[in-house]
Amino acid sequence: MSVKQKPVKVLFVCLGNICRSPTAHGVFQGLVEQASLTTCITVDSAGTGDWHIGHPPDRRMTTSAKERGYNLSSLRARQVSVADFYEFDLILAMDNSNLSDLLAMQPSDGKASLALFLDYADAAVEEVPDPYYGGPEGFEDVLDLVEDGSRGLLAALQSTTAG
């Protein structure tokens, strides 16, 4: 990736922005930092709902992520805005419901491309399940899927912007 080009801006979106999307934010940000691409790729996360605005990620998600070396403590939930469709290049939804909500609010002249996050994963599933109402294993499953999708997304971004 060329440092001279404008950074690629990626937004991860789930329902409340306290479990899946902040995890994708933290994991992908970690990969971007490890690859020394922070000047080439910027990362954020948001939710389609407004009930968790300003809250940190779910403590169970934060704990599971920390055990794998990801720090989510600085993240705070926010809601997707129309401005995001002009600000970001790529908006990645965690599930089909989130994608449907995003497509419904996308302005016709917005520049962002929308897709499911796991389109970039090797996993045989297309959605990152919401672990909120489940047990601890759900948070581990989310991390497995997010790590897979993040590796694929980074590889895709590197290949499309190489040169």
Side-chain angles (χ1 to χ4, degrees), residues 33-117:
E33 290 170 3
Q34 287 175 9
S36 300
L37 295 173
T38 56
T39 59
C40 303
I41 301 171
T42 61
V43 185
D44 198 1
S45 60
T48 56
D50 65 356
W51 48 91
H52 295 297
I53 293 173
H55 295 171
D58 183 286
R59 65 175 172 70
R60 298 166 296 174
M61 192 78 256
T62 302
T63 299
S64 293
K66 188 174 185 177
E67 288 172 359
R68 295 199 193 186
Y70 306 110
N71 184 352
L72 309 181
S73 66
S74 66
L75 304 179
R76 295 296 176 267
R78 73 174 186 87
Q79 188 175 20
V80 174
S81 71
V82 172
D84 290 328
F85 294 91
Y86 300 98
E87 177 68 22
F88 290 90
D89 300 298
L90 187 57
I91 299 178
L92 298 173
M94 296 296 126
D95 63 36
N96 282 304
S97 178
N98 303 143
L99 183 58
S100 179
D101 290 343
L102 290 165
L103 289 167
M105 70 182 295
Q106 181 181 32
S108 61
D109 63 342
K111 74 170 188 168
S113 295
L114 276 63
L116 284 171
F117 174 52

Side-chain angles (χ1 to χ4, degrees), residues 133-146:
Y133 294 106
E137 66 283 346
F139 295 92
E140 295 302 319
D141 291 344
V142 165
L143 277 160
D144 291 343
L145 291 169
V146 165

